[in-house]
Amino acid sequence: MCAGCTRQVPLREEYCRLCWVQARAEAAVTGAKPESFLPHLRHQQLFFYGLTALWDRRPKPTASKYDRRGRPRRPDPAPAPPPPAVWCQLALFEARRDLTGRASDEDASRDNPWLAWARHSAHRLGEARGWPRQTRLNVDQALVIILTGHAEGDVVRYSEVFPVLRSRGLSVERTTEVLDHIGVFLDDRPSSFELWLESKLDGLATGIAHDVGDWARLLHDGGPRARARHAATVWNYLNRIRPVLLKWSNRYDHLREVTRDDVLTHLETVQGSQRQHTIVALRSLFGRAKKNGTIFKNPTSRIRVGQHEEGVIQPLEPEQINGSVAAVTHPADRLILALAAVHAARSAAIRRLQLDDLDIGNRRLSIDGRTRPMDELTLQATAEWLEFRRRRWPDTANPHLLINKHTALGTGPIGKSSVAGPALHRQTATLERLRMDRQLEEALAHGPDPLHLAEVFGLSEKTAIRYANSARALLEQDLESAPATSPRTHGSTP
């Protein structure tokens, strides 16, 4: 029996282990020996409250001071405030800087406030975004190369940074993100749209090219009274009418010389949907030129586009759907397939999905602001993807549901090519076809009601009517092709 707590437990010098632990704890405060406190013990601290630290004398694990190759690890950069605004001499002309020859930390200017602030900002940004240690070291080395000797008023251009960092295998995207964060970065890359537009205007007459370029830029960028269109719309419009523009450029120098007969002559060479798309693009072009006052009369006025007969949307065969299901094996692709085939989600909506849109406990899912119940298939695919995401990128700060190795270090969505994965490229049941098949199935199961389709999937009036008409045509076709039933089938007597 313990002389202190009177418990029947193994003893050491008439006292149990817990009494010895309590005596050591009290002796550590005064510096006396634990034996002097044993006869006066009247209580014991609970076992689960911090006693492990008292009897566990093993050294605490500390971060290694050396990396895998035995080299000393770099310490974290010291906190640094933004450099104070000071007066600087304006440059007489711009000159490209030579960023080569500074590749080590020893070459950095320790007293440069811009470099100190950039390194500290990169450290904080990396912690917030979950950058791996190797990425942080690469960005730190890139900042040393770029900002050594940086002064107030200097601007770092993409054209100067890209060749230097790419030749050394350093991250261009993460480095420019830090430079833009501290406000010294200038992206001087030419716009891909401008490069494409320049190639399309090549070969056109000067006056025609001027009006076409102004019209294409208005469609792409928008204006005070015109909303910006999707880039694919501009591409389709200009690609459709470029052949006739080249033909007119051989005879005319300006769009004002084009007559109504010229437009009708070209429309006779195209039929069906090509004719409709051509007249729509020409109407838009000449309408813009008329509004700017560069032409006197619109030659496309009073030319009817005509009604386009929409075909009946056909459902997918079970073999086609099974082929697409068997083709996807990655957890992200399986979740994307479930969202398109079950919830009829578009690719853009899938890319925009965030973790906050999931409510696993209540089995609810929000797609573009519309909350939907989550079925068992989608729930299982979501659980598999979240587990894979947690294991693959445990420190990522990206709020989007779907990420990859590129977006895991940032906060943006995945690209379009990542949604339409290569697994479905050769399949008949693509994501778009699966989405359309799901909406058609809803119309067939619940009746061809446009209001119901618009409420469930958030479709526009025209799109909902089209699916309802297709479902009505398929139902009527099934009734007409069904074999005649005998009276016995309906339960009557012969």
Side-chain angles (χ1 to χ4, degrees), residues 302-321:
R302 297 186 302 277
I303 297 180
R304 301 187 60 182
V305 179
Q307 295 293 332
H308 177 64
E309 296 293 337
E310 298 285 354
V312 178
I313 304 175
Q314 299 295 328
L316 292 172
E317 298 294 335
E319 295 79 9
Q320 298 172 343
I321 300 178

Side-chain angles (χ1 to χ4, degrees), residues 52 131 182 186 218 222 254 271 291 313 315 354 415 453 466:
T52 303
W131 292 354
I182 64 176
L186 175 62
L218 178 68
H254 203 279
Q271 302 293 333
K291 190 173 184 179
I313 304 175
Q354 298 193 0
L453 296 176
R466 182 190 176 191

Side-chain angles (χ1 to χ4, degrees), residues 322-371:
N322 294 335
S324 297
V325 173
V328 294
T329 56
H330 195 272
D333 295 336
R334 296 181 64 86
L335 176 57
I336 293 172
L337 186 69
L339 292 174
V342 179
H343 301 276
R346 295 181 179 271
S347 299
I350 295 176
R351 294 172 55 229
R352 289 192 297 265
L353 277 176
Q354 298 193 0
L355 295 174
D356 293 340
D357 295 329
L358 293 176
D359 189 356
I360 302 296
N362 296 323
R363 302 185 64 164
R364 308 289 292 179
L365 172 66
S366 297
I367 302 178
D368 278 348
R370 305 181 69 86
T371 304

Side-chain angles (χ1 to χ4, degrees), residues 10 12 43 46 52 62 76 93 109 144 187 202-203 205 230 233 269 299 333 352 380 404-405 408-409 434 444 446 457:
R12 191 188 74 176
H43 69 279
L46 294 179
T52 303
T62 57
D76 295 337
F93 56 88
S109 299
V144 171
D187 191 352
D202 186 24
H230 196 276
T233 303
T269 62
D333 295 336
R352 289 192 297 265
Q380 181 180 356
N404 52 29
K405 62 180 182 180
L409 303 181
L434 288 171
L444 293 172
H446 294 271
F457 300 109

Side-chain angles (χ1 to χ4, degrees), residues 442-470:
E442 185 73 19
L444 293 172
H446 294 271
D449 184 5
L451 294 178
H452 176 75
L453 296 176
E455 179 65 24
V456 173
F457 300 109
L459 303 177
S460 62
E461 298 176 359
K462 184 177 179 181
T463 305
I465 292 175
R466 182 190 176 191
Y467 279 97
N469 292 337
S470 297

Side-chain angles (χ1 to χ4, degrees), residues 201-212 245-246 248-255 257:
L201 297 180
D202 186 24
L204 300 182
T206 304
I208 296 179
H210 180 271
D211 286 344
V212 173
L245 293 177
L246 291 173
W248 290 339
S249 296
N250 295 331
R251 295 183 294 167
Y252 307 131
D253 296 329
H254 203 279
L255 286 180
E257 303 178 55

